[in-house]
Amino acid sequence: MVSPANLLRLGVLVILMAFLLQPGWFGPLLKPLVQENAPVIYNRGSLLWLTVLHLRIVLIATLAATVVAVSLAILVTREAGTEFLPLSRSLVNIGQTFPPVAVLALSVPIFGFGEKPTLIALFLYGLLPIFENALTGLTTLPPAVIEAARGAGMTERQRLLKVELPLALPVILTGIRLSVVISLATATIGSTVAAKTLGEVIIAGLQANNLAFVLQGGLIVAALAVLIHDALQAMERALAQRSQV
């Protein structure tokens, strides 16, 4: 039997896809929010294509942050790399120390306008939650399991790939989920430096005093964040249950 929560998620997904594919259907609902003769549905580009580009930027930045953050966590949990833990923490905290707007302002003179400054900002901002969760996952493994792996004659590399990372994966995925949700919202500011994101819709609404545009961009980002958050959370639960078997 489908739970009410899953029905609600399905409803959000259906409405989101309908709006992206046929936004004109929702014009009557949004018309009270605009001034007379002002456009109701965003008309400076395709909402579907902007959503795809928005997700693409978030995906690239999250993948890069995951590779770097997990690699650093693995390094500092090895005997030869424990002394690098303070340095690693300082590095991953850079993104939280500098606001994304400041990172954009510093990146534009070097990389120019467009997608690159946004990717750098999202990458730096996403490092900390993934690193801390990967560190927690790798340092809280059951000692008996690690000893059993050693007793079975596994090398350190085999223990890492076949035992430690699979067991730590649910916790690592929690960090990735937090990073993705943060990036989905933060990516909207990329449009201030000419990156193609849903922030373009929000900025156009603010410039034209068109509340319907602002609402469209904000609700699409919110719906994506909720759906992706819940999907990743379901994956975490499935992996956690599998690791306990």
Side-chain angles (χ1 to χ4, degrees), residues 62 65-67 69-71 73-74 129-138 141 160 164-179 232 236 239:
T62 303
T66 299
V67 170
V70 173
S71 297
I74 291 171
I130 301 175
F131 174 79
E132 290 295 343
N133 277 66
L135 189 64
T136 299
L138 291 170
L141 297 173
L160 174 65
E164 295 180 45
L165 283 177
L167 289 175
L169 191 55
V171 182
I172 296 173
L173 194 57
T174 300
I176 294 173
R177 171 168 54 86
L178 295 173
S179 180
L232 290 174
E236 291 168 35
L239 287 170

Side-chain angles (χ1 to χ4, degrees), residues 78-120:
R78 306 304 98 180
E79 187 175 347
T82 52
E83 61 186 77
F84 295 104
L85 178 57
L87 176 61
S88 298
R89 275 218 164 97
S90 298
L91 288 174
V92 299
N93 271 299
I94 289 176
Q96 304 292 327
T97 304
F98 285 92
V101 175
V103 176
L104 289 178
L106 293 171
S107 300
V108 166
I110 302 172
F111 298 101
F113 288 91
E115 192 175 82
K116 288 182 180 178
T118 307
L119 285 171
I120 292 169

